[in-house]
Amino acid sequence: MPSVLLTESIALELGAQEPWPQDVKLFQPYEVEQILLPDNANCLAVQAFLKMCGLDFEVEPRSNAEYMSPSGRVPFIKCGAFVVAELDPIISFVNHKGISLSDKLDSVQKADMRAYMSLINTVLANAELYITWCDKTTLQEVTKPRFGSVLPWPLNHILAWQKRSQVVKKLGVLGWGNKTLDEVYEEIENCCSALSERLENRPYFFGDRPTELDAQVFGHLFTILTTPLPNNRFASIVRGYPNLIELCKLVEKEYFERTAEA
Amino acid sequence: MNHPMELYIWGGDWGLPSVDLHCLEIMAYAKFSGVPLQTCVTNNPFWTPNGRLPVFKHGKQILSSFPEISAYLRKKNFNADFGLSHKQCSEVLAYTQLLRGQLYFALQYVRWVDTKNYIELIRPWYAKALPFPCNYYYPGSYEREAKHQLQALYDQDDDPQSIETFVYGEAEKCLTALSTRLGDQEFFFGVHPTSLDATVYAYLAPLLKVPFPSPALQNYLKACPNLARFVVRITQRYFPYAIQEFDAKKSAGSGARGETPESVSDFPNRRRHQVLAGLFAAAAMTGYALSIGLVQVSIKDEVSENLANHEDLIQAAENTED
């Protein structure tokens, strides 16, 4: 085990020696026609994180981004000779370059941040997967047409079916397979109330400066709020927590509108 | 309700009240919230509603998962999280998800997928604890389940080594976070144990106490002395009987070790089995040799021809060999 961990860290160290290049590209599926709720949340979280760090990048939509990614999941960034996928590896990759959003936090706060990030990863991300792939109406009306929009005829059905069985298997292992839709909504409710209790009335989770956690919360909640679904109870649960909405508005204003103007 | 609350569990060993994570979680929660819970060691998941232990029984209520049981106990006014603020409750939820998301599958890996641990320790333990026909079925089925889980979660990695690296990496990050969060405190939220302490104890105690033959992750936990002390503290304070039993067993074991080697205690009647197996093998080989006519034809002929003269017999044998 240690040898493999070593090679991983060497790769990160090597990457760290170079400064942040100019032509970093973030690959993701097409936002308007193709992208699905869970992927969109992850892509938005990574975008928010990079913007909070003040790093330049270009969004590069590709219809087959999922199959290009080294881990099989979107989004991924191409930074010089390195290709890094998903939020956590991207965070540690950026940290190795000496850029971090959480270096002002003490070690207990960092541990808290890790715990809340895994709360989002286990509850919100799985709930999004459940609603996208296991809820029958959403699957038929939204997921399948969008997923298949970039694929020719027999493939759109075959790959959608394959992807669905993969997701169902994963959710089953995580103990979400037997849940009913109501139980899923209850989980979301619990998660949002926990986040809301933690945020209290501050602008960001750990004071006045955004952290990785804020990027992740923004990515997930903003996507949930803005994605039209046949059943919008998901969004209405989130709307019940005004301080979380404030956080989303703040991050959007600070980091997304400003760049759009410029 | 005069019915006693009962919990059917996996037995303990190595100074643990139970070797199973889910049993430990409920037992610790019950102790922390003062529930008069009777534990029955059954070691047999065959009669349970969904084929696994623990099972909680109170009158007609039969429950088997921690969220269900803790919710039921809360309804009965047994609550370990009574003194926590809203914010602390939200932290309990976050850290519980951290454990479930990052440490649980590493523990599954250590116990069932790591070949050395599984073959040398876990499978023999379960095979010994389970009653007769079940011991051939359950260990293998748990192993398949754990492998299936890891495969479904990390499907893109075909190489088992990379799964191991990834899973252990996540688990180490999780342990580090727990260790920093605990600091020098007695429990996670001050001097009173809460449901989070029960969960953390359930995850860490088996990892710390079970003598795994390949101890990579265990060593990492031992390098966090405050977490190790946390586990020992809870065991001593709430499950002293487990330690006493283990010490008694150990001293009995070391007393007997002076006369006979330790392996004898693992296999009673070892000599008898060896003799029986030898006899059986010899009988089978002889039977086979006789049945395909390797030996007996010549001997039979000699015997029938001449029984009296020994030298003739040898001569005849030589003749047949030629």
Side-chain angles (χ1 to χ4, degrees), chain B residues 220-243:
Chain B
Y220 193 86
L221 173 58
K222 281 179 182 163
C224 307
N226 60 343
L227 290 180
R229 277 201 305 272
F230 172 80
V231 170
V232 172
R233 190 183 306 133
I234 291 184
T235 318
Q236 279 174 348
R237 203 175 291 178
Y238 295 97
F239 304 102
Y241 63 91
I243 298 180

Side-chain angles (χ1 to χ4, degrees), chain B residues 52 108-119 122-123 126 136-151:
Chain B
R52 49 184 68 241
Q108 288 288 81
Y109 190 93
V110 169
R111 284 150 54 97
W112 301 104
V113 184
D114 187 305
T115 324
K116 206 170 173 208
N117 289 341
Y118 172 64
I119 290 182
I122 299 297
R123 190 171 62 185
Y126 276 90
Y136 291 107
Y137 173 67
Y138 280 103
S141 98
Y142 292 149
E143 185 215 358
R144 280 192 297 278
E145 192 189 319
K147 282 194 172 151
H148 168 79
Q149 287 176 339
L150 288 162
Q151 229 166 27

Side-chain angles (χ1 to χ4, degrees), chain B residues 80-127:
Chain B
D81 298 346
F82 198 64
L84 297 185
S85 67
H86 287 302
K87 192 178 159 189
Q88 284 171 327
C89 284
S90 110
E91 282 172 6
V92 169
L93 184 70
Y95 276 93
T96 312
Q97 293 298 345
L98 176 72
L99 287 163
R100 244 172 241 158
Q102 299 200 342
L103 196 55
Y104 180 73
F105 294 103
L107 287 181
Q108 288 288 81
Y109 190 93
V110 169
R111 284 150 54 97
W112 301 104
V113 184
D114 187 305
T115 324
K116 206 170 173 208
N117 289 341
Y118 172 64
I119 290 182
E120 288 180 21
L121 188 83
I122 299 297
R123 190 171 62 185
W125 192 91
Y126 276 90

Side-chain angles (χ1 to χ4, degrees), chain B residues 32-234:
Chain B
F32 295 163
S33 48
V35 179
L37 187 69
Q38 293 177 4
T39 52
C40 319
V41 178
T42 60
N43 284 340
N44 183 0
F46 187 74
W47 301 109
T48 59
N50 43 15
R52 49 184 68 241
L53 292 169
V55 174
F56 173 86
K57 222 182 235 180
H58 185 214
K60 280 180 187 163
Q61 276 285 347
I62 295 175
L63 304 167
S64 56
S65 79
F66 180 69
E68 280 171 8
I69 297 172
S70 62
Y72 181 76
L73 291 175
R74 228 169 285 141
K75 242 189 272 168
K76 298 273 166 219
N77 215 7
F78 293 108
N79 191 353
D81 298 346
F82 198 64
L84 297 185
S85 67
H86 287 302
K87 192 178 159 189
Q88 284 171 327
C89 284
S90 110
E91 282 172 6
V92 169
L93 184 70
Y95 276 93
T96 312
Q97 293 298 345
L98 176 72
L99 287 163
R100 244 172 241 158
Q102 299 200 342
L103 196 55
Y104 180 73
F105 294 103
L107 287 181
Q108 288 288 81
Y109 190 93
V110 169
R111 284 150 54 97
W112 301 104
V113 184
D114 187 305
T115 324
K116 206 170 173 208
N117 289 341
Y118 172 64
I119 290 182
E120 288 180 21
L121 188 83
I122 299 297
R123 190 171 62 185
W125 192 91
Y126 276 90
K128 224 168 109 181
L130 283 157
F132 162 61
C134 299
N135 58 0
Y136 291 107
Y137 173 67
Y138 280 103
S141 98
Y142 292 149
E143 185 215 358
R144 280 192 297 278
E145 192 189 319
K147 282 194 172 151
H148 168 79
Q149 287 176 339
L150 288 162
Q151 229 166 27
L153 287 180
Y154 311 107
D155 46 357
Q156 74 281 10
D157 299 318
D158 295 325
D159 176 22
Q161 193 70 42
S162 67
I163 294 182
E164 181 180 355
T165 315
F166 181 77
V167 166
Y168 280 7
E170 292 282 292
E172 284 175 10
K173 281 182 210 156
C174 169
L175 290 176
T176 315
L178 285 177
S179 172
T180 358
R181 186 65 176 73
L182 182 63
D184 300 327
Q185 297 173 93
E186 204 167 343
F187 296 107
F188 275 88
F189 298 100
V191 290
H192 295 294
T194 57
S195 66
L196 177 62
D197 295 282
T199 312
V200 174
Y201 174 74
Y203 278 79
L204 298 188
L207 185 59
L208 185 73
K209 298 273 182 139
V210 177
F212 289 113
S214 93
L217 196 58
Q218 191 173 37
N219 287 343
Y220 193 86
L221 173 58
K222 281 179 182 163
C224 307
N226 60 343
L227 290 180
R229 277 201 305 272
F230 172 80
V231 170
V232 172
R233 190 183 306 133
I234 291 184

